[in-house]
Amino acid sequence: MALEVSHVVGGYSQIPVLKDISFDVKDGELVGLIGLNGAGKSTTINHVIGLLTPHQGTITLNGVTIDQDSQAYKQQIAYIPETPVLYQELTLREHLEVTMMAYDLDHEKAWTTAHKLLKTFRLDNKLDWFPANFSKGMKQKVMIVCAFLTPAKLFIIDEPFLGLDPLAVNDLLTLIEERKRQGASILMSTHVLDTAQRYCDRFVLLHDGQVKTEGTLSELQAALPEAGESLNDIYLSMTKVDRS
Amino acid sequence: MTGLFKTRLQRHLREMAKYLRLVFNDFFVFALLFFLGGLGLGYSNVLKQLRGHEWWAPLVALLVLTIVAQIGRLATLIEDADRVFLLPKERAMHAYLIAARRYSQVIAQATQVIAIFLLSPFLAVTLGWSVTPVLFLLVAQVVLKDTLLRLDLASAYQVTGQGRMNRWPIKWGLSLIILACGLWITPIVAVILAIVADVAVVVWFQQHWQTQQIRWREQIKIEDNRMLGIYRFFNMFTEVPMLSGTIKRRRYLDGIFHLIKPTHEQTYLYLFSRGMARGTEFSGLIVRLTVIGMLLLYFIRGKWLPVILAALFIYLIGFQLLPFFHQYDDIVFTHVYPVAAVQRLKSFVTLMTLILSVTAVLLWLVVVFANQQLLPAVVTLIVEALEVWYLARIYTPQRLKRSAENRA
């Protein structure tokens, strides 16, 4: 069990956004976090990466909570934010180096990985540029390269598909596949349901700060037989109940 | 569209008034009066020494007037969002831009009039000009400035493809030719030339603007730069929230950065040092204060005054650097990276020690050079060393720990 979120109540202020959330991500598993705008996806992710502290409940990552040993907890996580976040004053090369230093990686080995990733995402000739001036898609690629540079056990990817070109989306999915085979877990939030349906092993459907349901696609289909075949149909039918 | 400009102008003027009130505080006005008084006195003394018919006098006048003619830019008050929201109104923007040009005239022409007024005694003494030629020169100067502003406006449109009508060789060349004719031949020639140029630009622009697109991106950039210049000026006197500083690559510093070993412990030293040096906000502050301190110390002699001043400047710099610790708090990776908070603080203390030590040494060298005595040199060195040690190693960590607790 890589990531275990159990009975988490939390949010940005005293008013909880998340109301008793529980789910898990196993080793080598890709879990899709699905929900409407404001359903609590980003809040959940912020709790997992340690930006927010839960009011109640615990989040454990391979047996460690952030309170027990924050360094050991953070060492296992690589995070790709929804909006690219960059250091204005650092070049692309320096972003990679800071990542290597922060995660205490062996520089020679890390650079081998880095060069491969840079080539894949066609950034290899931009090492001395300031990524802060890149286009949104390219900034996102920088985030991807920085994250996949680390040997993290859990990758947290917030809405990866918007802004990336089709080639990059494909490359990202291949990367995710590869890390999964090596035993890493991935928690990914997205609105792009048909891609999620094809690649995720399991789904956690968030609605209004609660886990509506979770499971594999066939489990979801079995639970809601009249909803329809696709993830899209299931999700729409689930939110409709709430609207009427 | 003129309405839009009026609304924006009102907002702009309100903002400027707010800052001007802060700039022209009692102390500053007092200092400024003294400064202007001194300058006026100096100018009148220089004039008294002139005998008339100096060969270089027209050259000086030409240089001054050409530079003054470039003062006063086209203030369009265009905003970034305009290229989305006003794009469908492109033709109507013409009225807006005309209004902008009219407003820009006020400050620009006032500057020209004041410059000619200030220069008139000089012209009278050296060239023996009476009131009439000075007035003609004034007319020429004002019409010339009008032409230059019209060129700026015309360049807002893609009138001549990629070429701009307001490139600096054109503006400076035009000013030099017209003013040189005025100074060496007769001012009336300058007036005629200026009017010809002005009319030519007007006619040519009238024929072309309806079929041309506005260079939105460029105009937005120009206006942003203009506002940035104004904010920079205000920033010398007060805090300007709009000013976040710019980033410079500063490749020549790479050699120094390479001294920082890329190990886990140094993560934040790596980040902080580059951020501090490449961002203009904090590096500018350090350089400014150090240079001012060095200048002051050069002119000040005495037993204790240099010591106190050197200590004061180190304190000022050190104190103002503290907020930099939180520079990257908004960046999520500062919290996600598996680097202990203690390491971050340690790196900051190291950086602080380095910067303050360099400043201390520079100030000390000036003290030694200015006084050339053993006692002040030794005392300053000891006081500075103690201060840097206390400020960086003891005060900074304590203070930042306290502020971190307050934030939590």
Side-chain angles (χ1 to χ4, degrees):
Chain A
M1 196 77 61
L3 173 73
E4 196 170 353
V5 177
S6 94
H7 301 290
V8 166
V9 177
Y12 299 90
S13 60
Q14 282 311 303
I15 307 143
V17 176
L18 303 180
K19 301 154 190 162
D20 195 24
I21 281 198
S22 300
F23 65 89
D24 58 20
V25 184
K26 298 185 185 67
D27 286 337
E29 193 179 41
L30 169 56
V31 171
L33 198 58
I34 316 287
L36 297 180
N37 299 332
K41 302 188 298 291
S42 290
T43 315
T44 308
I45 285 176
N46 282 337
H47 276 288
V48 175
I49 61 174
L51 223 54
L52 297 173
T53 321
H55 304 166
Q56 283 168 40
T58 53
I59 299 170
T60 32
L61 186 52
N62 291 316
V64 195
T65 68
I66 197 159
D67 292 332
Q68 284 164 0
D69 185 347
S70 77
Q71 197 128 342
Y73 181 90
K74 287 178 178 177
Q75 187 81 40
Q76 305 182 60
I77 291 182
Y79 171 54
I80 301 177
E82 180 184 5
T83 334
V85 185
L86 293 153
Y87 292 106
Q88 297 272 330
E89 301 95 346
L90 295 191
T91 61
L92 174 53
R93 183 193 304 280
E94 288 162 353
H95 271 93
L96 299 177
E97 249 171 17
V98 163
T99 313
M100 291 173 200
M101 289 162 82
Y103 285 86
D104 206 2
L105 307 178
D106 176 66
H107 279 246
E108 220 166 295
K109 254 195 259 167
W111 268 115
T112 322
T113 322
H115 282 303
K116 231 168 37 196
L117 288 167
L118 289 169
K119 206 161 187 82
T120 310
F121 290 102
R122 283 163 293 138
L123 289 169
D124 44 341
N125 55 351
K126 302 211 163 45
L127 270 170
D128 289 310
W129 296 34
F130 284 129
N133 304 332
F134 286 178
S135 72
K136 185 187 177 229
M138 272 165 70
K139 284 183 189 172
Q140 217 165 342
K141 288 176 183 176
V142 174
M143 298 278 92
I144 295 172
V145 172
C146 283
F148 281 92
L149 200 59
T150 70
K153 298 215 176 79
L154 174 67
F155 288 86
I156 294 161
I157 313 178
D158 200 352
E159 193 57 87
F161 302 121
L162 301 181
L164 284 182
D165 60 63
L167 195 59
V169 168
N170 200 43
D171 289 333
L172 174 63
L173 288 168
T174 319
L175 265 179
I176 292 176
E177 258 332 290
E178 193 183 303
R179 286 302 165 101
K180 261 174 61 180
R181 259 183 280 122
Q182 291 164 9
S185 327
I186 293 115
L187 177 66
M188 180 174 85
S189 91
T190 183
H191 289 296
V192 186
L193 294 183
D194 52 339
T195 313
Q197 179 179 343
R198 266 185 292 147
Y199 289 92
C200 293
D201 301 308
R202 266 191 316 129
F203 305 91
V204 175
L205 270 60
L206 275 183
H207 191 66
D208 201 16
Q210 285 167 315
V211 176
K212 272 276 170 180
T213 134
E214 66 167 313
T216 60
L217 186 63
S218 44
E219 281 168 4
L220 294 185
Q221 282 163 346
L224 298 150
E226 68 278 18
E229 280 292 299
S230 72
L231 185 61
N232 201 35
D233 296 335
I234 295 169
Y235 189 68
L236 285 180
S237 80
M238 225 184 54
T239 50
K240 225 174 265 163
V241 181
D242 213 66
R243 261 197 281 180
S244 54
Chain B
M1 274 304 175
T2 10
L4 177 68
F5 184 78
K6 264 188 202 141
T7 330
R8 281 194 185 168
L9 184 60
Q10 266 166 14
R11 203 175 58 200
H12 175 71
L13 291 179
R14 255 204 306 278
E15 196 191 353
M16 293 298 110
K18 191 185 86 188
Y19 282 119
L20 283 176
R21 261 205 303 279
L22 290 169
V23 172
F24 288 98
N25 52 41
D26 298 344
F27 174 74
F28 183 71
V29 169
F30 204 62
L32 196 69
L33 281 178
F34 263 93
F35 183 68
L36 287 180
L39 221 59
L41 198 69
Y43 183 43
S44 79
N45 281 337
V46 169
L47 285 181
K48 270 177 209 150
Q49 280 166 13
L50 295 175
R51 263 174 264 126
H53 303 290
E54 276 81 3
W55 62 269
W56 47 263
L59 272 182
V60 171
L62 177 65
L63 194 69
V64 170
L65 289 179
T66 311
I67 291 170
V68 169
Q70 316 305 321
I71 298 176
R73 284 176 282 182
L74 181 66
T76 53
L77 305 182
I78 281 181
E79 291 168 18
D80 194 21
D82 289 351
R83 69 190 156 103
V84 177
F85 291 96
L86 296 184
L87 195 60
K89 285 255 176 203
E90 186 139 2
R91 289 285 156 259
M93 274 303 280
H94 187 65
Y96 176 99
L97 288 173
I98 296 285
R101 187 183 60 80
R102 291 221 175 99
Y103 160 70
S104 310
Q105 292 268 24
V106 180
I107 294 172
Q109 300 297 16
T111 316
Q112 312 304 319
V113 173
I114 290 169
I116 295 270
F117 176 73
L118 289 178
L119 205 63
S120 57
F122 177 77
L123 293 172
V125 171
T126 55
L127 302 176
W129 280 20
S130 62
V131 178
T132 329
V134 172
L135 280 181
F136 273 116
L137 192 66
L138 176 68
V139 174
Q141 180 85 9
V142 167
V143 177
L144 170 67
K145 184 68 219 177
D146 185 64
T147 316
L148 296 183
L149 278 175
R150 282 178 196 278
L151 277 178
D152 282 339
L153 177 64
S155 303
Y157 289 85
Q158 302 175 346
V159 178
T160 46
Q162 283 306 303
R164 310 277 188 285
M165 286 309 287
N166 66 342
R167 273 170 298 169
W168 70 266
I170 296 178
K171 287 167 89 175
W172 284 77
L174 193 66
S175 314
L176 279 173
I177 292 167
I178 290 176
L179 290 168
C181 288
L183 287 163
W184 272 282
I185 305 172
T186 164
I188 300 169
V189 178
V191 174
I192 295 167
L193 278 180
I195 291 174
V196 169
D198 205 20
V199 171
V201 175
V202 170
V203 171
W204 173 73
F205 182 55
Q206 278 305 330
Q207 285 171 348
H208 283 90
W209 73 264
Q210 285 97 335
T211 54
Q212 301 295 340
Q213 320 319 319
I214 293 174
R215 291 183 218 269
W216 286 103
R217 273 171 193 283
E218 196 180 279
Q219 283 305 308
I220 289 162
K221 213 171 129 202
I222 290 171
E223 179 62 15
D224 279 353
N225 280 339
R226 198 185 68 86
M227 287 310 292
L228 196 69
I230 295 176
Y231 288 142
R232 283 233 181 91
F233 171 75
F234 288 141
N235 201 37
M236 294 196 291
F237 304 92
T238 173
E239 281 287 302
V240 180
M242 278 67 84
L243 208 65
S244 54
T246 46
I247 313 295
K248 300 236 166 75
R249 176 66 177 84
R250 301 194 209 273
R251 214 172 276 276
Y252 51 88
L253 290 177
D254 282 5
I256 297 174
F257 294 144
H258 282 313
L259 297 176
I260 302 166
K261 296 230 159 53
T263 57
H264 179 64
E265 291 73 32
Q266 311 265 44
T267 307
Y268 277 97
L269 189 59
Y270 186 102
L271 175 62
F272 279 150
S273 58
R274 282 167 169 81
M276 181 85 86
R278 287 183 190 159
T280 51
E281 199 182 345
F282 284 88
S283 61
L285 192 96
I286 298 168
V287 171
R288 267 201 306 273
L289 279 175
T290 309
V291 169
I292 294 174
M294 285 167 78
L295 279 176
L296 265 178
L297 285 172
Y298 179 76
F299 290 111
I300 277 169
R301 308 284 140 92
K303 237 186 214 154
W304 293 108
L305 208 54
V307 182
I308 295 170
L309 262 180
L312 182 72
F313 270 92
I314 292 173
Y315 170 77
L316 276 178
I317 295 174
F319 195 73
Q320 303 221 51
L321 290 186
L322 286 175
F324 188 78
F325 184 69
H326 299 292
Q327 181 85 345
Y328 299 111
D329 280 10
D330 291 344
I331 291 185
V332 66
F333 292 104
T334 310
H335 311 283
V336 172
Y337 285 150
V339 181
V342 187
Q343 292 288 359
R344 181 149 52 118
L345 192 58
K346 244 188 187 162
S347 289
F348 190 73
V349 168
T350 310
L351 184 70
M352 195 84 158
T353 317
L354 276 173
I355 292 171
L356 291 184
S357 300
V358 171
T359 307
V361 168
L362 286 174
L363 293 178
W364 180 71
L365 283 176
V366 176
V367 170
V368 170
F369 185 75
N371 289 285
Q372 309 223 333
Q373 276 174 337
L374 192 62
L375 193 66
V378 173
V379 174
T380 312
L381 190 64
I382 294 172
V383 169
E384 281 187 343
L386 280 174
E387 190 187 10
V388 170
W389 170 78
Y390 178 77
L391 206 60
R393 305 259 149 184
I394 312 282
Y395 181 74
T396 303
Q398 265 177 12
R399 166 76 188 251
L400 291 178
K401 249 181 224 151
R402 217 181 320 140
S403 80
E405 277 159 20
N406 287 345
R407 271 161 195 248

